[in-house]
PDB file of all heavy atoms in Angstrom:
ATOM      1  N   ASN A  76     -18.530  -1.331   5.622  1.00  0.00           N
ATOM      2  CA  ASN A  76     -18.886  -0.043   6.208  1.00  0.00           C
ATOM      3  C   ASN A  76     -17.684   0.869   6.434  1.00  0.00           C
ATOM      4  O   ASN A  76     -17.591   1.572   7.418  1.00  0.00           O
ATOM      5  CB  ASN A  76     -19.609  -0.274   7.535  1.00  0.00           C
ATOM      6  CG  ASN A  76     -20.947  -0.920   7.375  1.00  0.00           C
ATOM      7  OD1 ASN A  76     -21.116  -1.810   6.559  1.00  0.00           O
ATOM      8  ND2 ASN A  76     -21.962  -0.503   8.149  1.00  0.00           N
ATOM      9  N   ALA A  78     -16.525   3.867   5.514  1.00  0.00           N
ATOM     10  CA  ALA A  78     -16.985   5.075   4.847  1.00  0.00           C
ATOM     11  C   ALA A  78     -16.495   6.330   5.531  1.00  0.00           C
ATOM     12  O   ALA A  78     -16.609   7.440   4.994  1.00  0.00           O
ATOM     13  CB  ALA A  78     -18.491   5.119   4.800  1.00  0.00           C
ATOM     14  N   ARG A  79     -15.913   6.230   6.716  1.00  0.00           N
ATOM     15  CA  ARG A  79     -15.980   7.392   7.598  1.00  0.00           C
ATOM     16  C   ARG A  79     -14.664   8.198   7.667  1.00  0.00           C
ATOM     17  O   ARG A  79     -13.580   7.721   7.392  1.00  0.00           O
ATOM     18  CB  ARG A  79     -16.428   6.938   8.976  1.00  0.00           C
ATOM     19  CG  ARG A  79     -17.769   6.185   8.938  1.00  0.00           C
ATOM     20  CD  ARG A  79     -18.386   5.972  10.252  1.00  0.00           C
ATOM     21  NE  ARG A  79     -19.021   7.179  10.788  1.00  0.00           N
ATOM     22  CZ  ARG A  79     -20.237   7.576  10.558  1.00  0.00           C
ATOM     23  NH1 ARG A  79     -21.026   6.871   9.757  1.00  0.00           N
ATOM     24  NH2 ARG A  79     -20.731   8.662  11.096  1.00  0.00           N
ATOM     25  N   MET A 284     -31.030   4.066   2.537  1.00  0.00           N
ATOM     26  CA  MET A 284     -29.828   4.499   1.849  1.00  0.00           C
ATOM     27  C   MET A 284     -28.594   3.916   2.607  1.00  0.00           C
ATOM     28  O   MET A 284     -28.688   3.494   3.748  1.00  0.00           O
ATOM     29  CB  MET A 284     -29.720   6.016   1.832  1.00  0.00           C
ATOM     30  CG  MET A 284     -30.996   6.725   1.472  1.00  0.00           C
ATOM     31  SD  MET A 284     -31.245   6.805  -0.280  1.00  0.00           S
ATOM     32  CE  MET A 284     -30.010   8.013  -0.725  1.00  0.00           C
ATOM     33  N   ALA A 285     -27.450   4.098   1.965  1.00  0.00           N
ATOM     34  CA  ALA A 285     -26.218   3.574   2.590  1.00  0.00           C
ATOM     35  C   ALA A 285     -25.043   4.490   2.326  1.00  0.00           C
ATOM     36  O   ALA A 285     -25.099   5.369   1.469  1.00  0.00           O
ATOM     37  CB  ALA A 285     -25.924   2.197   1.999  1.00  0.00           C
ATOM     38  N   CYS A 286     -23.975   4.278   3.052  1.00  0.00           N
ATOM     39  CA  CYS A 286     -22.698   4.965   2.820  1.00  0.00           C
ATOM     40  C   CYS A 286     -21.793   4.010   2.010  1.00  0.00           C
ATOM     41  O   CYS A 286     -22.147   2.870   1.769  1.00  0.00           O
ATOM     42  CB  CYS A 286     -22.023   5.291   4.133  1.00  0.00           C
ATOM     43  SG  CYS A 286     -23.033   6.208   5.337  1.00  0.00           S
ATOM     44  N   THR A 287     -20.618   4.502   1.685  1.00  0.00           N
ATOM     45  CA  THR A 287     -19.620   3.703   0.966  1.00  0.00           C
ATOM     46  C   THR A 287     -19.465   2.322   1.610  1.00  0.00           C
ATOM     47  O   THR A 287     -19.256   2.222   2.807  1.00  0.00           O
ATOM     48  CB  THR A 287     -18.246   4.388   1.019  1.00  0.00           C
ATOM     49  OG1 THR A 287     -18.398   5.733   0.570  1.00  0.00           O
ATOM     50  CG2 THR A 287     -17.225   3.652   0.158  1.00  0.00           C
ATOM     51  N   CYS A 289     -21.252  -0.021   2.632  1.00  0.00           N
ATOM     52  CA  CYS A 289     -22.084  -0.402   3.759  1.00  0.00           C
ATOM     53  C   CYS A 289     -22.806  -1.710   3.494  1.00  0.00           C
ATOM     54  O   CYS A 289     -23.334  -1.921   2.392  1.00  0.00           O
ATOM     55  CB  CYS A 289     -23.085   0.712   4.060  1.00  0.00           C
ATOM     56  SG  CYS A 289     -24.239   0.274   5.337  1.00  0.00           S
ATOM     57  N   VAL A 290     -22.929  -2.536   4.489  1.00  0.00           N
ATOM     58  CA  VAL A 290     -23.701  -3.766   4.356  1.00  0.00           C
ATOM     59  C   VAL A 290     -25.035  -3.632   5.148  1.00  0.00           C
ATOM     60  O   VAL A 290     -25.834  -4.543   5.137  1.00  0.00           O
ATOM     61  CB  VAL A 290     -22.971  -5.021   4.849  1.00  0.00           C
ATOM     62  CG1 VAL A 290     -21.701  -5.232   4.040  1.00  0.00           C
ATOM     63  CG2 VAL A 290     -22.670  -5.004   6.304  1.00  0.00           C
ATOM     64  N   VAL A 291     -25.242  -2.510   5.802  1.00  0.00           N
ATOM     65  CA  VAL A 291     -26.385  -2.368   6.704  1.00  0.00           C
ATOM     66  C   VAL A 291     -27.550  -1.594   6.046  1.00  0.00           C
ATOM     67  O   VAL A 291     -28.690  -2.003   6.104  1.00  0.00           O
ATOM     68  CB  VAL A 291     -25.982  -1.689   8.038  1.00  0.00           C
ATOM     69  CG1 VAL A 291     -27.160  -1.632   8.986  1.00  0.00           C
ATOM     70  CG2 VAL A 291     -24.840  -2.442   8.723  1.00  0.00           C
ATOM     71  N   HIS A 292     -27.226  -0.444   5.520  1.00  0.00           N
ATOM     72  CA  HIS A 292     -28.234   0.474   4.890  1.00  0.00           C
ATOM     73  C   HIS A 292     -29.194   0.985   5.965  1.00  0.00           C
ATOM     74  O   HIS A 292     -30.396   0.661   5.930  1.00  0.00           O
ATOM     75  CB  HIS A 292     -29.019  -0.221   3.763  1.00  0.00           C
ATOM     76  CG  HIS A 292     -28.200  -0.608   2.597  1.00  0.00           C
ATOM     77  ND1 HIS A 292     -28.572  -0.373   1.317  1.00  0.00           N
ATOM     78  CD2 HIS A 292     -26.981  -1.199   2.533  1.00  0.00           C
ATOM     79  CE1 HIS A 292     -27.638  -0.848   0.495  1.00  0.00           C
ATOM     80  NE2 HIS A 292     -26.653  -1.339   1.210  1.00  0.00           N
ATOM     81  N   CYS A 293     -28.739   1.821   6.835  1.00  0.00           N
ATOM     82  CA  CYS A 293     -29.556   2.210   7.978  1.00  0.00           C
ATOM     83  C   CYS A 293     -30.317   3.533   7.786  1.00  0.00           C
ATOM     84  O   CYS A 293     -31.083   3.900   8.653  1.00  0.00           O
ATOM     85  CB  CYS A 293     -28.681   2.359   9.237  1.00  0.00           C
ATOM     86  SG  CYS A 293     -27.780   3.893   9.322  1.00  0.00           S
ATOM     87  N   ARG A 294     -30.076   4.215   6.724  1.00  0.00           N
ATOM     88  CA  ARG A 294     -30.556   5.610   6.620  1.00  0.00           C
ATOM     89  C   ARG A 294     -31.808   5.740   5.763  1.00  0.00           C
ATOM     90  O   ARG A 294     -31.813   5.308   4.597  1.00  0.00           O
ATOM     91  CB  ARG A 294     -29.433   6.455   6.043  1.00  0.00           C
ATOM     92  CG  ARG A 294     -29.584   7.930   6.158  1.00  0.00           C
ATOM     93  CD  ARG A 294     -28.335   8.690   5.811  1.00  0.00           C
ATOM     94  NE  ARG A 294     -27.983   8.616   4.438  1.00  0.00           N
ATOM     95  CZ  ARG A 294     -26.846   8.126   3.935  1.00  0.00           C
ATOM     96  NH1 ARG A 294     -25.930   7.659   4.736  1.00  0.00           N
ATOM     97  NH2 ARG A 294     -26.621   8.166   2.643  1.00  0.00           N
ATOM     98  N   CYS A 497     -17.933   2.053  10.533  1.00  0.00           N
ATOM     99  CA  CYS A 497     -19.192   2.534  11.159  1.00  0.00           C
ATOM    100  C   CYS A 497     -19.426   1.790  12.466  1.00  0.00           C
ATOM    101  O   CYS A 497     -19.133   0.600  12.576  1.00  0.00           O
ATOM    102  CB  CYS A 497     -20.326   2.303  10.180  1.00  0.00           C
ATOM    103  SG  CYS A 497     -21.928   2.622  10.902  1.00  0.00           S
ATOM    104  N   PHE A 499     -22.085   0.719  13.591  1.00  0.00           N
ATOM    105  CA  PHE A 499     -23.129  -0.322  13.548  1.00  0.00           C
ATOM    106  C   PHE A 499     -22.595  -1.700  13.150  1.00  0.00           C
ATOM    107  O   PHE A 499     -23.348  -2.685  13.124  1.00  0.00           O
ATOM    108  CB  PHE A 499     -24.260   0.111  12.592  1.00  0.00           C
ATOM    109  CG  PHE A 499     -25.049   1.254  13.120  1.00  0.00           C
ATOM    110  CD1 PHE A 499     -25.358   2.325  12.315  1.00  0.00           C
ATOM    111  CD2 PHE A 499     -25.408   1.269  14.473  1.00  0.00           C
ATOM    112  CE1 PHE A 499     -26.087   3.417  12.843  1.00  0.00           C
ATOM    113  CE2 PHE A 499     -26.113   2.360  14.965  1.00  0.00           C
ATOM    114  CZ  PHE A 499     -26.458   3.421  14.170  1.00  0.00           C
TER     115      PHE A 499
HETATM  116  S1  SF4 R   1     -24.900   1.563   8.837  1.00  0.00           S
HETATM  117 FE1  SF4 R   1     -25.724   3.562   8.329  1.00  0.00          FE
HETATM  118  S2  SF4 R   1     -24.229   5.088   9.033  1.00  0.00           S
HETATM  119 FE2  SF4 R   1     -23.211   3.054   8.995  1.00  0.00          FE
HETATM  120  S3  SF4 R   1     -22.209   2.988   7.010  1.00  0.00           S
HETATM  121 FE3  SF4 R   1     -24.228   2.051   6.753  1.00  0.00          FE
HETATM  122  S4  SF4 R   1     -25.645   3.704   6.086  1.00  0.00           S
HETATM  123 FE4  SF4 R   1     -23.751   4.625   6.877  1.00  0.00          FE
END
Side-chain angles (χ1 to χ4, degrees):
Chain A
N76 294 39
R79 304 192 76 88
M284 315 278 288
C286 306
T287 307
C289 175
V290 301
V291 183
H292 296 225
C293 80
R294 193 168 70 239
C497 171
F499 293 135

